[in-house]
Amino acid sequence: MIRLIINIVTLIVLAVFIAMNVSYETSINLFGFKYDNISTVAVIIISLVSGVLYSFLYYLLTYISKSKKLKIRNKSKQAKLKEKELKTKEKNIHKTIEEGVKESTPHIAEPVELELSNAEKKKKSPLKLFKSKKNN
């Protein structure tokens, strides 16, 4: 609403300015070419329109640049998230492989444990078992 009011006031001021300066003429030098007896209002309107067009192009190029940067940032964030997911999956795979290897390898008991298990089967005291071996 405020923008609309500002635009209307600006157009009214511009219209009053044009009405007051219609009869005035000026000469301009445009990149080495000199033009005589050109209406001052025409020069002002041309400069205003060219400024608006330049501003629009500048805004458009800035908008396109920002949108490309935003897309690149989003892609890099997604890539980082995927990298983290892959690392966690890789760790999980390594853990399952290690567990599978541990399960598949036979558990070799130490000689003391074997003697104790044999003693339990024979229902002998483990101390007698070891003593008898030392005596042999």
PDB file of all heavy atoms in Angstrom, residues 104-125:
ATOM      1  N   SER A 104      32.441 -67.507  12.839  1.00  0.00           N
ATOM      2  CA  SER A 104      32.848 -68.602  11.966  1.00  0.00           C
ATOM      3  C   SER A 104      34.171 -69.234  12.372  1.00  0.00           C
ATOM      4  O   SER A 104      34.426 -70.390  12.056  1.00  0.00           O
ATOM      5  CB  SER A 104      32.935 -68.122  10.514  1.00  0.00           C
ATOM      6  OG  SER A 104      33.946 -67.156  10.386  1.00  0.00           O
ATOM      7  N   THR A 105      35.018 -68.500  13.078  1.00  0.00           N
ATOM      8  CA  THR A 105      36.290 -69.090  13.501  1.00  0.00           C
ATOM      9  C   THR A 105      36.054 -69.941  14.735  1.00  0.00           C
ATOM     10  O   THR A 105      35.312 -69.560  15.636  1.00  0.00           O
ATOM     11  CB  THR A 105      37.334 -68.004  13.818  1.00  0.00           C
ATOM     12  OG1 THR A 105      36.806 -67.118  14.804  1.00  0.00           O
ATOM     13  CG2 THR A 105      37.710 -67.226  12.583  1.00  0.00           C
ATOM     14  N   PRO A 106      36.659 -71.126  14.791  1.00  0.00           N
ATOM     15  CA  PRO A 106      36.462 -71.990  15.954  1.00  0.00           C
ATOM     16  C   PRO A 106      37.174 -71.401  17.163  1.00  0.00           C
ATOM     17  O   PRO A 106      38.258 -70.832  17.053  1.00  0.00           O
ATOM     18  CB  PRO A 106      37.096 -73.310  15.531  1.00  0.00           C
ATOM     19  CG  PRO A 106      38.058 -72.942  14.458  1.00  0.00           C
ATOM     20  CD  PRO A 106      37.495 -71.738  13.777  1.00  0.00           C
ATOM     21  N   HIS A 107      36.527 -71.564  18.290  1.00  0.00           N
ATOM     22  CA  HIS A 107      37.097 -71.048  19.537  1.00  0.00           C
ATOM     23  C   HIS A 107      38.065 -72.085  20.076  1.00  0.00           C
ATOM     24  O   HIS A 107      37.675 -73.197  20.415  1.00  0.00           O
ATOM     25  CB  HIS A 107      35.993 -70.759  20.540  1.00  0.00           C
ATOM     26  CG  HIS A 107      36.497 -70.269  21.861  1.00  0.00           C
ATOM     27  ND1 HIS A 107      37.086 -69.041  21.999  1.00  0.00           N
ATOM     28  CD2 HIS A 107      36.520 -70.837  23.084  1.00  0.00           C
ATOM     29  CE1 HIS A 107      37.446 -68.865  23.256  1.00  0.00           C
ATOM     30  NE2 HIS A 107      37.102 -69.950  23.937  1.00  0.00           N
ATOM     31  N   ILE A 108      39.310 -71.732  20.135  1.00  0.00           N
ATOM     32  CA  ILE A 108      40.338 -72.645  20.628  1.00  0.00           C
ATOM     33  C   ILE A 108      40.537 -72.350  22.107  1.00  0.00           C
ATOM     34  O   ILE A 108      40.950 -71.261  22.489  1.00  0.00           O
ATOM     35  CB  ILE A 108      41.662 -72.469  19.861  1.00  0.00           C
ATOM     36  CG1 ILE A 108      41.435 -72.746  18.389  1.00  0.00           C
ATOM     37  CG2 ILE A 108      42.733 -73.375  20.452  1.00  0.00           C
ATOM     38  CD1 ILE A 108      42.617 -72.433  17.519  1.00  0.00           C
ATOM     39  N   ALA A 109      40.211 -73.336  22.895  1.00  0.00           N
ATOM     40  CA  ALA A 109      40.344 -73.170  24.336  1.00  0.00           C
ATOM     41  C   ALA A 109      41.794 -73.348  24.737  1.00  0.00           C
ATOM     42  O   ALA A 109      42.550 -74.082  24.109  1.00  0.00           O
ATOM     43  CB  ALA A 109      39.477 -74.182  25.063  1.00  0.00           C
ATOM     44  N   GLU A 110      42.166 -72.716  25.797  1.00  0.00           N
ATOM     45  CA  GLU A 110      43.527 -72.845  26.290  1.00  0.00           C
ATOM     46  C   GLU A 110      43.683 -74.195  26.985  1.00  0.00           C
ATOM     47  O   GLU A 110      42.694 -74.799  27.431  1.00  0.00           O
ATOM     48  CB  GLU A 110      43.820 -71.699  27.253  1.00  0.00           C
ATOM     49  CG  GLU A 110      43.853 -70.363  26.535  1.00  0.00           C
ATOM     50  CD  GLU A 110      44.385 -69.262  27.432  1.00  0.00           C
ATOM     51  OE1 GLU A 110      45.131 -69.564  28.374  1.00  0.00           O
ATOM     52  OE2 GLU A 110      44.040 -68.115  27.144  1.00  0.00           O
ATOM     53  N   PRO A 111      44.906 -74.690  27.092  1.00  0.00           N
ATOM     54  CA  PRO A 111      45.118 -76.017  27.689  1.00  0.00           C
ATOM     55  C   PRO A 111      44.568 -76.134  29.106  1.00  0.00           C
ATOM     56  O   PRO A 111      44.053 -77.176  29.489  1.00  0.00           O
ATOM     57  CB  PRO A 111      46.630 -76.187  27.673  1.00  0.00           C
ATOM     58  CG  PRO A 111      47.133 -75.219  26.675  1.00  0.00           C
ATOM     59  CD  PRO A 111      46.118 -74.127  26.582  1.00  0.00           C
ATOM     60  N   VAL A 112      44.641 -75.088  29.892  1.00  0.00           N
ATOM     61  CA  VAL A 112      44.127 -75.139  31.256  1.00  0.00           C
ATOM     62  C   VAL A 112      42.628 -75.354  31.232  1.00  0.00           C
ATOM     63  O   VAL A 112      42.075 -76.157  31.991  1.00  0.00           O
ATOM     64  CB  VAL A 112      44.504 -73.865  32.024  1.00  0.00           C
ATOM     65  CG1 VAL A 112      43.880 -73.841  33.403  1.00  0.00           C
ATOM     66  CG2 VAL A 112      46.000 -73.706  32.096  1.00  0.00           C
ATOM     67  N   GLU A 113      41.940 -74.622  30.335  1.00  0.00           N
ATOM     68  CA  GLU A 113      40.498 -74.775  30.227  1.00  0.00           C
ATOM     69  C   GLU A 113      40.129 -76.178  29.766  1.00  0.00           C
ATOM     70  O   GLU A 113      39.145 -76.756  30.222  1.00  0.00           O
ATOM     71  CB  GLU A 113      39.935 -73.723  29.266  1.00  0.00           C
ATOM     72  CG  GLU A 113      40.026 -72.304  29.801  1.00  0.00           C
ATOM     73  CD  GLU A 113      39.544 -71.273  28.789  1.00  0.00           C
ATOM     74  OE1 GLU A 113      39.164 -71.662  27.667  1.00  0.00           O
ATOM     75  OE2 GLU A 113      39.553 -70.077  29.129  1.00  0.00           O
ATOM     76  N   LEU A 114      40.915 -76.751  28.861  1.00  0.00           N
ATOM     77  CA  LEU A 114      40.662 -78.119  28.406  1.00  0.00           C
ATOM     78  C   LEU A 114      40.821 -79.113  29.552  1.00  0.00           C
ATOM     79  O   LEU A 114      40.009 -80.028  29.713  1.00  0.00           O
ATOM     80  CB  LEU A 114      41.613 -78.484  27.260  1.00  0.00           C
ATOM     81  CG  LEU A 114      41.323 -77.815  25.915  1.00  0.00           C
ATOM     82  CD1 LEU A 114      42.439 -78.150  24.923  1.00  0.00           C
ATOM     83  CD2 LEU A 114      40.000 -78.277  25.371  1.00  0.00           C
ATOM     84  N   GLU A 115      41.849 -78.929  30.341  1.00  0.00           N
ATOM     85  CA  GLU A 115      42.074 -79.822  31.478  1.00  0.00           C
ATOM     86  C   GLU A 115      40.943 -79.704  32.485  1.00  0.00           C
ATOM     87  O   GLU A 115      40.493 -80.697  33.052  1.00  0.00           O
ATOM     88  CB  GLU A 115      43.420 -79.518  32.152  1.00  0.00           C
ATOM     89  CG  GLU A 115      44.626 -79.836  31.312  1.00  0.00           C
ATOM     90  CD  GLU A 115      44.757 -81.330  31.059  1.00  0.00           C
ATOM     91  OE1 GLU A 115      44.340 -82.135  31.921  1.00  0.00           O
ATOM     92  OE2 GLU A 115      45.272 -81.676  30.002  1.00  0.00           O
ATOM     93  N   LEU A 116      40.475 -78.473  32.730  1.00  0.00           N
ATOM     94  CA  LEU A 116      39.377 -78.284  33.672  1.00  0.00           C
ATOM     95  C   LEU A 116      38.099 -78.929  33.157  1.00  0.00           C
ATOM     96  O   LEU A 116      37.355 -79.545  33.917  1.00  0.00           O
ATOM     97  CB  LEU A 116      39.147 -76.798  33.932  1.00  0.00           C
ATOM     98  CG  LEU A 116      40.202 -76.090  34.773  1.00  0.00           C
ATOM     99  CD1 LEU A 116      39.906 -74.593  34.823  1.00  0.00           C
ATOM    100  CD2 LEU A 116      40.230 -76.659  36.174  1.00  0.00           C
ATOM    101  N   SER A 117      37.837 -78.784  31.873  1.00  0.00           N
ATOM    102  CA  SER A 117      36.632 -79.404  31.320  1.00  0.00           C
ATOM    103  C   SER A 117      36.735 -80.925  31.363  1.00  0.00           C
ATOM    104  O   SER A 117      35.766 -81.621  31.649  1.00  0.00           O
ATOM    105  CB  SER A 117      36.377 -78.918  29.902  1.00  0.00           C
ATOM    106  OG  SER A 117      37.418 -79.333  29.052  1.00  0.00           O
ATOM    107  N   ASN A 118      37.921 -81.476  31.110  1.00  0.00           N
ATOM    108  CA  ASN A 118      38.111 -82.919  31.203  1.00  0.00           C
ATOM    109  C   ASN A 118      37.954 -83.383  32.646  1.00  0.00           C
ATOM    110  O   ASN A 118      37.413 -84.458  32.909  1.00  0.00           O
ATOM    111  CB  ASN A 118      39.497 -83.326  30.687  1.00  0.00           C
ATOM    112  CG  ASN A 118      39.593 -83.215  29.182  1.00  0.00           C
ATOM    113  OD1 ASN A 118      38.574 -83.247  28.496  1.00  0.00           O
ATOM    114  ND2 ASN A 118      40.814 -83.070  28.671  1.00  0.00           N
ATOM    115  N   ALA A 119      38.428 -82.588  33.587  1.00  0.00           N
ATOM    116  CA  ALA A 119      38.317 -82.939  34.999  1.00  0.00           C
ATOM    117  C   ALA A 119      36.865 -82.971  35.425  1.00  0.00           C
ATOM    118  O   ALA A 119      36.448 -83.817  36.209  1.00  0.00           O
ATOM    119  CB  ALA A 119      39.101 -81.957  35.841  1.00  0.00           C
ATOM    120  N   GLU A 120      36.082 -82.036  34.921  1.00  0.00           N
ATOM    121  CA  GLU A 120      34.664 -82.021  35.268  1.00  0.00           C
ATOM    122  C   GLU A 120      33.970 -83.250  34.700  1.00  0.00           C
ATOM    123  O   GLU A 120      33.092 -83.825  35.322  1.00  0.00           O
ATOM    124  CB  GLU A 120      33.999 -80.746  34.730  1.00  0.00           C
ATOM    125  CG  GLU A 120      34.371 -79.508  35.499  1.00  0.00           C
ATOM    126  CD  GLU A 120      33.739 -78.258  34.913  1.00  0.00           C
ATOM    127  OE1 GLU A 120      32.863 -78.382  34.035  1.00  0.00           O
ATOM    128  OE2 GLU A 120      34.122 -77.170  35.342  1.00  0.00           O
ATOM    129  N   LYS A 121      34.363 -83.669  33.500  1.00  0.00           N
ATOM    130  CA  LYS A 121      33.768 -84.851  32.893  1.00  0.00           C
ATOM    131  C   LYS A 121      34.111 -86.099  33.706  1.00  0.00           C
ATOM    132  O   LYS A 121      33.295 -86.977  33.891  1.00  0.00           O
ATOM    133  CB  LYS A 121      34.255 -85.017  31.456  1.00  0.00           C
ATOM    134  CG  LYS A 121      33.681 -84.012  30.509  1.00  0.00           C
ATOM    135  CD  LYS A 121      34.232 -84.229  29.111  1.00  0.00           C
ATOM    136  CE  LYS A 121      33.771 -83.138  28.172  1.00  0.00           C
ATOM    137  NZ  LYS A 121      34.390 -83.266  26.856  1.00  0.00           N
ATOM    138  N   LYS A 122      35.314 -86.163  34.207  1.00  0.00           N
ATOM    139  CA  LYS A 122      35.757 -87.327  34.970  1.00  0.00           C
ATOM    140  C   LYS A 122      35.418 -87.188  36.443  1.00  0.00           C
ATOM    141  O   LYS A 122      35.646 -88.091  37.227  1.00  0.00           O
ATOM    142  CB  LYS A 122      37.263 -87.518  34.813  1.00  0.00           C
ATOM    143  CG  LYS A 122      37.676 -87.862  33.416  1.00  0.00           C
ATOM    144  CD  LYS A 122      39.176 -87.998  33.325  1.00  0.00           C
ATOM    145  CE  LYS A 122      39.613 -88.260  31.908  1.00  0.00           C
ATOM    146  NZ  LYS A 122      41.067 -88.342  31.785  1.00  0.00           N
ATOM    147  N   LYS A 123      34.926 -86.018  36.814  1.00  0.00           N
ATOM    148  CA  LYS A 123      34.563 -85.696  38.190  1.00  0.00           C
ATOM    149  C   LYS A 123      35.750 -85.829  39.123  1.00  0.00           C
ATOM    150  O   LYS A 123      35.680 -86.346  40.205  1.00  0.00           O
ATOM    151  CB  LYS A 123      33.403 -86.565  38.670  1.00  0.00           C
ATOM    152  CG  LYS A 123      32.139 -86.306  37.933  1.00  0.00           C
ATOM    153  CD  LYS A 123      31.012 -87.077  38.523  1.00  0.00           C
ATOM    154  CE  LYS A 123      29.743 -86.786  37.734  1.00  0.00           C
ATOM    155  NZ  LYS A 123      28.621 -87.535  38.240  1.00  0.00           N
ATOM    156  N   LYS A 124      36.861 -85.366  38.669  1.00  0.00           N
ATOM    157  CA  LYS A 124      38.059 -85.339  39.492  1.00  0.00           C
ATOM    158  C   LYS A 124      38.308 -83.910  39.918  1.00  0.00           C
ATOM    159  O   LYS A 124      37.902 -82.969  39.257  1.00  0.00           O
ATOM    160  CB  LYS A 124      39.279 -85.848  38.720  1.00  0.00           C
ATOM    161  CG  LYS A 124      39.260 -87.307  38.424  1.00  0.00           C
ATOM    162  CD  LYS A 124      40.549 -87.686  37.774  1.00  0.00           C
ATOM    163  CE  LYS A 124      40.594 -89.154  37.476  1.00  0.00           C
ATOM    164  NZ  LYS A 124      41.838 -89.519  36.794  1.00  0.00           N
ATOM    165  N   SER A 125      39.011 -83.769  40.963  1.00  0.00           N
ATOM    166  CA  SER A 125      39.402 -82.448  41.423  1.00  0.00           C
ATOM    167  C   SER A 125      40.475 -81.929  40.487  1.00  0.00           C
ATOM    168  O   SER A 125      41.411 -82.660  40.144  1.00  0.00           O
ATOM    169  CB  SER A 125      39.945 -82.536  42.844  1.00  0.00           C
ATOM    170  OG  SER A 125      40.542 -81.321  43.176  1.00  0.00           O
TER     171      SER A 125
END
